[in-house]
C-alpha cells in the first residue's frame, strides 16, 4: 500500500524521493498491541478503538538479518494507517498522519518524509503541512545508488543530540541555503552543480556531527565517502545520518559496483517509485 523514502537534501526546503519498498496495511480479527506511531495516528484520526485490529507489514523495510534499513518505515506506517482508517487518500489523511507521527516522535521531524510516502516520486517541500512541488525523475547524466551502512540509527535521538550543539543554528542555516541551491540545480538539470550541493551538504552534516559529538558520519560512511570521491562521485547520509543508508551520485553508473567491491558495503536494490500511497485491488 505504501512506499519508503529517502532524503536527498534537507533544510527549510527539502528534496525527498520515494522508493519501491512497500508496507501493506490490513484488518486483523485477532487484536494485537499497536506500535506508538500506529496508536498515535489512530488517535489523530479519532479511530483509536480500531488501532489494535490493524496490522502493518513492514518486512520490506528490513534486511533478512532483521536490521532496519532506514528508508521510511515509520512514515509508511503513519501514512498507511491514516489512509486505511479514513478509507480515503486525501489531505485530511495526510494531516492526521503528520499529527500522529509528530506526537510519537516528540515533535521532531519536518514531515516531508510522510509527504513523500503519500505523494510518491521526487518532491521538494517545506515543513508539512504545506504545498509540495513535484520534480522530475533523475536525468540521463545523473545516476543514484543507495548503500547500506551496516547499522540502524534513531533519527529522533540523533536530532535531539545535535540540537544541543552551539553550532546547531548556524550549520542548519547553511544546510538550508545549500539545499535550496541544490534543488534549483536539480530542477534545471545541472548535474554538476547539483552534485556540488550534495557534497557541500554532506560536509556540513559531518561538521555538525563533530560539533555535537554525534557520529553522523560513521566509520562506514567515511570509508564510502573517500571511495566515492576517488571515483568522481559524491555522497551523503540519507536523513539524519548515524547509519542506515547513504546516497551516492555519479555521472558513471558503472562505478557503483566498483565502489561496493572496494568498500565491502552492500548496494541496495532500490529504485525510485512514482505511485505513492494507494489501495490494493
Amino acid at each position: 500500500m505504501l512506499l519508503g523514502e529517502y532524503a536527498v537534501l534537507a533544510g527549510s526546503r527539502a528534496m525527498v524521493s520515494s522508493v519501491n519498498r512497500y508496507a501493506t496495511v490490513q484488518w486483523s480479527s485477532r487484536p494485537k498491541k499497536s506500535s506508538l506511531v500506529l496508536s498515535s495516528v489512530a488517535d489523530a484520526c479519532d479511530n483509536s478503538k480500531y488501532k489494535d485490529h490493524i496490522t502493518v507489514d513492514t518486512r520490506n523495510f528490513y534486511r533478512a538479518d532483521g536490521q532496519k534499513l532506514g528508508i521510511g518505515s515509520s512514515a509508511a506506517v503513519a501514512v498507511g494507517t491514516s489512509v486505511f482508517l479514513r478509507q480515503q487518500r486525501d489531505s485530511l489523511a495526510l494531516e492526521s498522519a503528520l499529527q500522529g507521527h509528530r506526537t510519537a516522535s516528540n515533535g521532531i521531524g519536518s514531515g516531508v518524509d510522510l509527504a513523500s510516502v503519500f505523494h510518491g516520486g521526487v518532491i521538494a517541500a517545506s515543513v508539512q503541512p504545506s504545498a509540495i512541488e513535484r520534480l522530475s525523475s533523475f536525468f540521463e547524466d545523473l545516476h543514484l545508488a543507495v548503500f547500506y551502512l551496516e547499522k540502524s540509527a534513531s533519527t529522533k535521538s540523533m536530532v535531539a543530540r545535535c540540537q544541543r550543539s552551539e553550532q546547531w543554528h548556524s550549520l542548519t542555516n547553511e544546510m538550508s541555503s545549500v539545499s535550496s541551491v541544490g534543488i534549483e540545480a536539480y530542477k534545471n538539470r545541472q548535474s554538476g552543480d547539483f552534485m556540488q550541493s550534495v557534497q557541500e551538504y554532506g560536509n556540513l552534516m559531518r561538521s555538525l556531527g563533530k560539533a555535537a559529538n554525534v557520529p553522523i558520519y560513521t566509520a562506514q560512511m567515511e570509508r564510502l565517502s573517500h571511495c566515492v570521491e576517488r571515483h568522481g562521485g559524491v555522497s551523503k547520509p540519507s536523513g539524519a545520518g548515524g547509519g542506515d543508508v547513504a546516497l551516492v551520485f555519479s555521472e558513471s553508473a558503472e562505478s557503483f559496483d566498483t565502489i561496493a567491491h572496494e568498500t565491502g558495503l552492500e548496494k541496495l536494490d532500490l529504485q525510485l517509485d512514482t505511485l505513492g500511497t494507494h489501495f490494493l485491488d
Side-chain angles (χ1 to χ4, degrees):
M1 182 171 179
L2 304 170
L3 302 174
E5 56 73 36
Y6 45 66
V8 180
L9 293 169
S12 58
R13 192 157 175 261
M15 177 179 170
V16 189
S17 61
S18 295
V19 294
N20 61 339
R21 291 292 177 96
Y22 293 86
T24 55
V25 185
Q26 58 187 359
W27 291 113
S28 173
S29 59
R30 186 175 300 174
K32 58 179 291 187
K33 184 174 176 58
S34 56
S35 69
L36 179 58
V37 170
L38 193 159
S39 178
S40 298
V41 171
D43 289 343
C45 293
D46 295 323
N47 275 312
S48 58
K49 62 183 178 180
Y50 298 119
K51 62 187 178 184
D52 292 335
H53 287 275
I54 298 173
T55 61
V56 185
D57 184 351
T58 57
R59 284 176 294 180
N60 285 328
F61 293 80
Y62 291 79
R63 287 164 47 92
D65 60 6
Q67 287 291 314
K68 181 172 68 74
L69 292 173
I71 54 174
S73 60
S74 67
V77 170
V79 176
T81 298
S82 183
V83 170
F84 187 79
L85 285 172
R86 288 188 52 79
Q87 287 297 294
Q88 292 188 70
R89 184 182 175 277
D90 58 10
S91 60
L92 289 178
L94 179 54
E95 288 178 15
S96 295
L98 289 165
Q99 180 183 337
H101 193 272
R102 286 205 173 104
T103 298
S105 61
N106 297 326
I108 290 177
S110 67
V112 175
D113 51 347
L114 278 75
S116 172
V117 168
F118 184 82
H119 292 287
V122 184
I123 65 169
S126 301
V127 175
Q128 295 295 296
S130 65
I132 67 109
E133 181 180 7
R134 293 187 178 276
L135 305 178
S136 65
S137 297
F138 291 112
F139 28 99
E140 291 180 0
D141 60 347
L142 179 65
H143 304 278
L144 167 66
V146 182
F147 285 79
Y148 177 60
L149 295 176
E150 299 180 340
K151 63 175 291 188
S152 298
S154 168
T155 297
K156 181 167 66 173
S157 174
M158 294 284 294
V159 173
R161 293 172 64 189
C162 287
Q163 286 176 332
R164 293 194 288 268
S165 167
E166 294 181 356
Q167 296 185 47
W168 165 259
H169 291 294
S170 61
L171 287 172
T172 53
N173 285 339
E174 287 188 64
M175 289 178 187
S176 291
S177 297
V178 170
S179 178
S180 296
V181 171
I183 290 170
E184 290 305 308
Y186 181 90
K187 288 166 60 178
N188 293 322
R189 296 182 174 269
Q190 298 168 331
S191 58
D193 291 343
F194 175 76
M195 290 173 65
Q196 181 177 343
S197 292
V198 171
Q199 185 75 15
E200 291 176 1
Y201 194 96
N203 289 336
L204 288 169
M205 291 182 72
R206 183 189 280 111
S207 296
L208 178 60
K210 291 179 179 179
N213 196 26
V214 173
I216 290 178
Y217 263 59
T218 63
Q220 293 90 338
M221 183 65 221
E222 291 288 7
R223 185 166 78 242
L224 177 66
S225 176
H226 295 319
C227 183
V228 169
E229 288 183 19
R230 289 200 304 272
H231 291 281
V234 297
S235 60
K236 66 174 289 291
S238 176
D244 291 336
V245 298
L247 310 180
V248 175
F249 293 92
S250 176
E251 295 178 347
S252 171
E254 291 74 20
S255 67
F256 296 144
D257 287 338
T258 302
I259 292 168
H261 175 74
E262 292 183 3
T263 61
L265 296 174
E266 178 185 0
K267 180 169 70 72
L268 298 176
D269 181 20
L270 292 174
Q271 288 82 41
L272 301 183
D273 196 301
T274 61
L275 194 55
T277 302
H278 61 282
F279 290 97
L280 300 174
D281 295 331

